[in-house]
Amino acid sequence: MGNYRWTLDLQLFSQEKTERATPKKRQEARQKGQTAKSQEVPAALILFFVFLSFMMLGGYYKTRLLRLFGSLFEQKLLMEVTADNVITLFADLMMQGFMLLAPIFAIAFLIAVLGNYAQIGFLFTGEPLKMKLSKLDPIKGFKQIFSMHAVVEFIKNILKLLLIGFIVYSVLWRELDVIMQLASVSIGDIFTYIASVTIKLGLEIGAILAVLAILDYMYKRYEHEKSLRMSKQDIKDEFKKAEGDPLIKGKIKERQRRMALQRMMQDVPKADVVITNPTHFAIALQYDGAKMEAPKVIAKGMDFVALRMKDVAKEHGVIMMENRPLARALYDRTEIGDTVPSDLFQAVAEVLAYVYKLKKNVK
């Protein structure tokens, strides 16, 4: 009973997702669009830099506003209403409006691209756009509504509203004395003052939201890393899929070794001589002066394989010759199919000469 519990505990522990995700798991998640990204980052930065552009490009916006409304109220109201004049009026208004909003559009686009690139880099995938019936599961949707992620998002939004409300209240409270005196100043001064307060509010709110966005990104990164965690068993399974099951690979290699050994044993009867150690090594040599420039190793083996080679050679009448230094040198320095090294030519030639002499005497 105790061993069973210990085994069960070990299995449960191996299923706990305590390990960091492997590069393969991260790449697969990225291809599916599962990345650590906060939408708050580009939104906060867009707000901040747009209001910053109001302060830096104030003259440009002022000129465009005056040109837009000045021409409308000073010239266009007295024009004759015809189809051509109306088309010209709307075309001019659209062009002036576009020129007025062009910097805002450019800043929003540039910051959105840079904000997303800073978080996830370049990523083009259509996986999130695919239709999945699991997205329509009401039970899953209900769980997401009351999940920890939803609670964190709710707290984050409440915190944002409270901070924005506090900033607006504090700025307006500081400007209360000036606001109370606006009734006695000109319209131009009122608009100038309102514009300055609005820009100040926008910059402060944008800066606070940018800080919150960075914290939100850190939390999203933590959530993403947590969702990618793997168990020890997951890592083993992934390794098996990538590299193949070690048991199967071992069986394949063993079968390959047996087939190679069988082919080698089939070549032993073709040898002219088998040089032995006498028990530890065996090297089968073949030489055909009409086809080969030097003797060739057609089989070699050690210990059990060497004994098997000698048995095959004996069965087929292949001459065996004991030469310990030469057998060891050939085994260490050659592979099956290699020719004999040049510095061993003399020793091998003497062996072959002796073998040919024996075969001649037998005949």
Side-chain angles (χ1 to χ4, degrees), residues 9 46 54 57 68 115 145 147 178 183 202 220 236 241 261 280 343 349-350 359-361:
D9 291 341
I46 288 172
F54 291 156
L57 302 175
L68 174 63
I145 292 174
S147 64
V178 180
K220 291 290 177 60
K236 290 180 181 179
K241 290 180 181 179
L261 179 61
H280 295 295
D343 57 326
E350 293 176 359
K359 289 182 177 180
K360 185 177 181 181
N361 291 334

Side-chain angles (χ1 to χ4, degrees), residues 55 88 141:
M55 185 173 66
T88 303

Side-chain angles (χ1 to χ4, degrees), residues 259-275:
M259 293 176 65
L261 179 61
Q262 185 177 2
R263 287 194 299 269
M264 187 179 70
M265 292 303 174
Q266 292 174 352
D267 289 337
V268 171
K270 303 175 184 178
D272 293 309
V273 64
V274 174
I275 302 175

Side-chain angles (χ1 to χ4, degrees), residues 281-298:
F281 301 98
I283 293 88
L285 298 179
Q286 183 186 43
Y287 180 63
D288 185 350
K291 299 179 181 180
M292 302 179 185
E293 296 181 358
K296 183 174 67 172
V297 177
I298 61 173

